Amino acid sequence: MVGRNLDILSGRTRGDAPAGASNGHVSDDTSSDEEHEAGTRIGEEYQALIPEWNPETMKEDAATSRHDALLVWAPCMDISDTKLDEYINIAKEKHGYNTEQALGMLFWHKHNVEKSLADLPNFTPFPDEWTVEDKVLFEQAFSFHGKSFIRIQQMLPDKSIASLVKYYYSWKKTRTRTSLMDRQARKLASQKDHSDR
């Protein structure tokens, strides 16, 4: 009720913009209220002029326009999903690539899996800034503090808040019920079993 009374005292009602405002934004223009009437604008003078569509000019525009983007992956129907998944797993596990890097290498070799596999050891992928210890600490900190990244940073002081948030979103997509520490322990135990044989 008080807000309504204030609106009445100030000469405004709901939906009216303050004096000097256009579309709810105050501007420095000192134009008259007649130019900026409130309400729905109907009529020919308020309609956009749409040029006629000509497919030939679209082709010319595409040919003359400059693209700064670099395409690093385009799917290929010649490679089965199973073969692609195997390639990505090899690139990740044996050579330390992430998915984007592995797909970029495959695209570079025109979707030739054998050439890409042969070339993987020749390039050093961008290193992961998160060690296994960092990842385990992050999981522990997250279980204690939730999404309080300032508190998580106290346990990982060498990581910025931005780095923690970025890691959180990638970790959130791939996390499972078992912690990284448990998975790492199982992996080391299985490697030890294989070496004992």
Side-chain angles (χ1 to χ4, degrees):
M1 188 71 178
V2 173
R4 186 172 175 205
N5 289 339
L6 287 175
D7 285 340
I8 292 169
L9 289 173
S10 67
R12 292 188 302 159
T13 58
R14 291 184 193 269
D16 289 345
S22 171
N23 294 331
H25 298 285
V26 177
S27 68
D28 293 334
D29 292 347
T30 55
S31 57
S32 68
D33 286 339
E34 293 168 10
E35 278 184 56
H36 301 286
E37 288 180 26
T40 306
R41 295 186 169 109
I42 301 172
E44 285 296 317
E45 64 271 17
Y46 298 111
Q47 303 305 310
L49 296 175
I50 310 293
E52 208 153 315
W53 185 70
N54 183 350
E56 294 304 315
T57 51
M58 295 296 286
K59 288 179 187 174
E60 291 170 12
D61 290 346
T64 60
S65 66
R66 182 173 167 246
H67 296 285
D68 291 332
L70 174 66
L71 183 64
V72 293
W73 172 248
C76 177
M77 296 301 152
D78 297 341
I79 303 173
S80 69
D81 288 344
T82 307
K83 192 171 184 177
L84 186 61
D85 289 340
E86 288 172 6
Y87 165 77
I88 292 170
N89 284 335
I90 291 169
K92 284 179 166 182
E93 298 297 321
K94 284 181 92 177
H95 304 287
Y97 284 71
N98 65 30
T99 304
E100 291 82 12
Q101 293 165 336
L103 291 174
M105 179 69 76
L106 188 58
F107 183 69
W108 177 261
H109 287 287
K110 297 179 174 67
H111 299 96
N112 185 323
V113 175
E114 289 72 29
K115 283 184 179 179
S116 298
L117 285 171
D119 211 12
L120 286 173
N122 297 331
F123 295 94
T124 305
F126 184 73
D128 188 7
E129 64 182 58
W130 286 76
T131 64
V132 173
E133 292 82 17
D134 289 340
K135 293 175 182 179
V136 169
L137 270 174
F138 177 85
E139 282 188 11
Q140 290 173 344
F142 184 81
S143 68
F144 292 131
H145 304 297
K147 287 196 266 184
S148 176
F149 294 104
I150 293 172
R151 289 188 178 152
I152 293 172
Q153 189 183 33
Q154 292 171 350
M155 292 179 75
L156 292 157
D158 61 322
K159 304 290 182 201
S160 68
I161 297 285
S163 177
L164 292 170
V165 171
K166 182 179 177 185
Y167 179 75
Y168 165 74
Y169 281 107
S170 65
W171 170 76
K172 184 173 108 166
K173 290 182 207 170
T174 59
R175 76 177 184 191
T176 59
R177 289 264 184 234
T178 55
S179 73
L180 181 65
M181 195 164 55
D182 295 336
R183 290 192 307 263
Q184 196 68 19
R186 273 194 232 123
K187 185 177 177 181
L188 291 172
S190 69
Q191 287 175 349
K192 185 179 178 187
D193 289 344
H194 289 297
S195 64
D196 289 343
R197 293 180 187 174

